[in-house]
Amino acid sequence: MPPESGYDAAFFRYVNATATTAAEAIVPLLLAPLRPESVLDVGCGQGAWLAAWRRAGVSDIQGLDGDYVDRLHLLVPTRSFRAHDLTRPFDLGRRFSLVQCLEVAEHLPAAAADGLIESLTRHGDLVLFSAAPP
């Protein structure tokens, strides 16, 4: 991964540990009421949340994150990951039961906000979103 991304191996170890813990607690709570058949995770990192959705029985998963994500360390099949610069809008040409974007927006410039929200809502009617203060 390019050093200018700021996301090194230690960052991903931390994110994977905390995201796995959160996902293992939250996915079961969301599974019954939402019953998603497909999940898009925007800013998925190495796929900790997608792996939890997959373990819960959702086989149609797709993750989107920067090209700096090391494909050798993905927690989901490589085919479930697409590289994309999240500062730019995206269109995957399909919709998902659930679109999630968790703790990603604060890493993007404010100028990317409208494109991100438009892209999220283009891909599904149900969006799970959170962002920490910058």
Side-chain angles (χ1 to χ4, degrees):
M1 117 186 42
E4 65 273 8
S5 75
Y7 305 123
D8 59 10
F11 171 84
F12 281 109
R13 279 193 303 275
Y14 170 77
V15 168
N16 288 343
T18 58
T20 297
T21 299
E24 292 299 329
I26 295 170
V27 164
L29 298 175
L30 297 176
L31 192 61
L34 302 182
R35 299 182 189 264
E37 295 179 9
S38 58
V39 174
L40 170 62
D41 187 356
V42 177
C44 67
Q46 293 176 340
W49 275 85
L50 288 172
W53 282 112
R54 192 169 181 230
R55 283 189 296 276
V58 180
S59 59
D60 186 1
I61 57 170
Q62 182 67 60
L64 199 64
D65 209 323
D67 195 39
Y68 49 79
V69 174
D70 185 347
R71 304 329 184 268
L72 296 175
H73 293 98
L74 288 174
L75 303 173
V76 295
T78 305
R79 70 180 179 279
S80 296
F81 177 85
R82 281 193 183 178
H84 182 78
D85 176 355
L86 297 179
T87 64
R88 296 183 15 241
F90 58 90
D91 187 349
L92 301 179
R94 64 167 289 198
R95 294 179 58 78
F96 294 82
S97 302
L98 174 65
V99 177
Q100 67 178 42
C101 183
L102 305 174
E103 306 303 307
V104 174
E106 71 270 19
H107 297 273
L108 303 176
D114 289 344
L116 176 65
I117 298 305
E118 183 179 303
S119 294
L120 296 176
T121 57
R122 174 185 300 128
H123 289 87
D125 292 333
L126 185 59
V127 177
L128 176 62
F129 180 88
S130 71

